[in-house]
Amino acid sequence: MEENARYAVGIDIGTNTVRAVMGKIGKDGSISVVGYGESVSEGIRRGRVKELSVPPKAIDACLKTVESMSGINVGAATVSINGSHIASTKVDGMIAVGVADHEINEDDLMRIEDTAIAGKIPANRETLALVPYEYILDGQGGIREPLGMHGARLEIRANVISALAPDCDNMRKIFENDVAQVKVHFLEPTATAAARAVLTSRQMENGVGIVDMGGSTTGVAIYDEGELQFVGVVPIGSNDVTNDLATVLKTIPEIAEEIKVRFASGRFGEPGKDIVIKRGRDEYTFSRKEVDDVVEARLEEIFEGVRKMLKIAGYDKRLPEGLVLVGGGSKLRDIDVYARDQVELAVRLGKPEGILGVSEEVMKPEYATAVGLMMIDGMTAEVRRGANEEKKTKAAKKKNGEGGGFVARILKIFK
Ligand SMILES: Nc1ncnc2c1ncn2[C@@H]1O[C@H](COP(=O)(O)OP(=O)(O)OP(=O)(O)O)[C@@H](O)[C@H]1O
Ligand SMILES: [Mg+2]
């Protein structure tokens, strides 16, 4: 292994697909992708773990691809958390920091964060992140970083991202077991992870939203003044379009999927020829109008959900940089055209940018979340301690006494 090389891993547990990306973090902070992989996901419904026994196998299959491509064992990763239980709550708090002219230190910041959260996040929820968007020192607001400033009374306004605690526990359980054997550094909502890989800091400063259009969920994150302002998940996705087509057109899901991927579009009401799908010697014909009606009805529901989130967040029709769409569902032809009319904002398609590496494969909208998770993982201290190490054969591991599964991995991390 290269001296002091750091490896970061992001794993996106989708309803349809598990995707993982490994990056090598250069000394200058540059990130190059050294491995990626995907596998068919099972045991996940609407983004949430519904069965503990099946997902580890999919994770293991996916990581085997990543490990053989990179030659690095995956021991730890940052992982997605998804589902309509993910919530964003505005909180505020105040603490007295002591005598006048006290210099604000790390302890003060930890104390004010605890005060802000206390009593506002129910006990059955886990706080994933607290994002301060303003500090007020002795009545003077608009402060972003109070560390080192002088004052006696500190106030905070922040956004707390939380998820149901049992969902978080289940997500860790599918990683931290004998099959998958991965220590989870952080759980990160899919939309905020994707934002990391796709959005620029300028967009986040001006006001922008990201929409992760998955198979069964649509995640939304809104940024303004450089900070995360809102996260939410609409429990409807692109699989619902497929299922509706199958039901209404009375056809099997495979044919419905082909109709969606090859023929559906976000431009409705334009005359078009009938759609013909071939299967061996058989030919199936579907009315363009009927397909359009089904697709439009579902997309309308999805973007109504997105619009509702924009309203709750206070950003309806007021995001200068508009919305950026990612996820497999964003590949539906001209979906940006449709979305623009529905949300009355500028809409464009996004994909991960600005990373070097082995493959164009991860520069795709459906990889945005996994790439973003990897970038977040790259910022954790434990990666620096070498949680992901050069691949060793099973025999070599045993010889070194490192074959003991998860506990051994943790010990290794904290060495
Ligand atoms: N070219 C395409 N056109 C239209 N839809 C597509 C295309 N490619 C993929 N999709 C759809 O994207 C969806 C899968 O997206 P993605 O892989 O982002 O989901 P996921 O992450 O597994 O699910 P979730 O995030 O909801 O848990 C499927 O419904 C699939 O039909
Ligand atoms: Mg997804």
Side-chain angles (χ1 to χ4, degrees):
M1 184 165 47
E2 219 175 282
E3 193 74 15
N4 293 328
R6 291 169 52 206
Y7 295 92
V9 179
I11 309 175
D12 177 17
I13 301 294
T15 308
N16 292 29
T17 308
V18 174
R19 294 189 178 88
V21 175
M22 181 185 280
K24 185 170 160 189
I25 319 287
K27 283 201 188 85
D28 57 353
S30 62
I31 301 173
S32 47
V33 172
V34 292
Y36 64 90
E38 61 182 59
S39 61
V40 174
S41 182
E42 278 179 85
I44 309 290
R45 197 177 303 147
R46 303 264 170 217
R48 306 168 74 170
V49 177
K50 284 289 157 201
E51 230 178 305
L52 287 170
S53 61
V54 204
K57 292 174 197 148
I59 294 167
D60 186 48
C62 173
L63 293 185
K64 280 208 168 90
T65 313
V66 178
E67 289 176 340
S68 68
M69 194 185 289
S70 63
I72 305 289
N73 262 341
V74 176
T78 291
V79 166
S80 65
I81 179 105
N82 195 9
S84 54
H85 57 98
I86 289 169
S88 125
T89 314
K90 297 253 181 224
V91 298
D92 48 40
M94 190 275 286
I95 55 166
V97 283
V99 291
D101 235 24
H102 166 89
E103 197 173 292
I104 306 293
N105 57 38
E106 294 277 0
D107 285 347
D108 297 327
L109 296 187
M110 269 157 67
R111 196 153 62 87
I112 197 164
E113 288 185 4
D114 288 345
T115 312
I117 293 175
K120 299 186 194 107
I121 306 299
N124 66 343
R125 301 189 72 82
E126 183 173 315
T127 297
L128 300 174
L130 179 140
V131 187
Y133 54 88
E134 184 185 21
Y135 288 95
I136 305 157
L137 195 53
D138 291 340
Q140 196 192 331
I143 299 169
R144 275 199 184 174
E145 181 51 272
L147 211 59
M149 289 185 174
H150 292 260
R153 178 191 147 107
L154 183 65
E155 291 167 73
I156 188 175
R157 286 194 220 286
N159 206 342
V160 173
I161 311 306
S162 68
L164 278 177
D167 278 82
C168 298
D169 292 340
N170 289 342
M171 196 45 99
R172 286 189 201 94
K173 270 191 191 150
I174 63 169
F175 283 90
E176 298 175 352
N177 56 65
D178 285 346
V179 180
Q181 297 192 8
V182 177
K183 174 174 163 53
V184 175
H185 281 149
F186 285 125
L187 293 175
E188 179 77 21
T190 56
T192 51
R196 181 80 58 172
V198 171
L199 302 181
T200 63
S201 47
R202 206 181 118 162
Q203 289 172 322
M204 291 184 183
E205 197 61 45
N206 292 343
V208 68
I210 190 150
V211 182
D212 180 10
M213 308 193 68
S216 69
T217 62
T218 302
V220 181
I222 297 167
Y223 294 80
D224 192 19
E225 296 184 354
E227 303 294 351
L228 175 66
Q229 303 289 339
F230 176 86
V231 189
V233 178
V234 182
I236 318 168
S238 186
N239 293 353
D240 295 298
V241 176
T242 306
N243 293 341
D244 290 353
L245 284 170
T247 310
V248 175
L249 304 176
K250 299 178 191 65
T251 186
I252 56 170
E254 289 72 26
I255 291 182
E257 180 74 9
E258 188 175 337
I259 295 171
K260 180 180 81 173
V261 170
R262 285 183 56 204
F263 299 100
S265 137
R267 291 184 198 268
F268 300 105
E270 293 178 1
K273 285 189 279 184
D274 278 352
I275 292 166
V276 180
I277 304 278
K278 290 200 173 92
R279 275 286 183 281
R281 286 194 193 155
D282 297 328
E283 256 188 27
Y284 303 90
T285 306
F286 303 95
S287 134
R288 175 91 232 179
K289 164 102 179 52
E290 208 170 359
V291 168
D292 275 0
D293 287 350
V294 174
V295 175
E296 186 174 13
R298 256 312 173 182
L299 291 188
E300 194 178 323
E301 196 186 358
I302 290 173
F303 284 103
E304 254 174 35
V306 172
R307 183 121 192 215
K308 206 166 127 195
M309 303 242 152
L310 290 167
K311 280 189 184 143
I312 296 169
Y315 285 91
D316 191 30
K317 291 194 261 175
R318 59 171 212 97
L319 278 175
E321 300 274 358
L323 293 186
V324 179
L325 310 183
V326 294
S330 73
K331 290 164 85 174
L332 193 132
R333 191 178 310 127
D334 290 331
I335 196 160
D336 49 335
V337 176
Y338 180 76
R340 196 170 303 153
D341 285 347
Q342 292 300 299
V343 297
E344 299 181 69
L345 286 169
V347 176
R348 64 180 185 85
L349 304 173
K351 56 184 170 55
E353 309 268 2
I355 45 171
L356 316 159
V358 287
S359 175
E360 289 290 304
E361 281 299 303
V362 300
M363 305 295 189
K364 289 179 176 171
E366 60 270 40
Y367 265 94
T369 298
V371 171
L373 290 165
M374 179 272 287
M375 292 167 81
I376 293 165
D377 198 59
M379 298 179 328
T380 70
E382 284 172 342
V383 173
R384 264 163 253 150
R385 289 181 212 162
N388 300 310
E389 295 196 336
E390 199 170 10
K391 207 167 168 58
K392 291 174 185 145
T393 61
K394 280 228 156 63
K397 269 193 194 176
K398 286 235 163 67
K399 210 172 102 199
N400 294 334
E402 291 178 5
F406 174 59
V407 176
R409 281 169 198 272
I410 293 194
L411 291 176
K412 202 162 62 187
I413 287 161
F414 286 103
K415 258 205 281 219

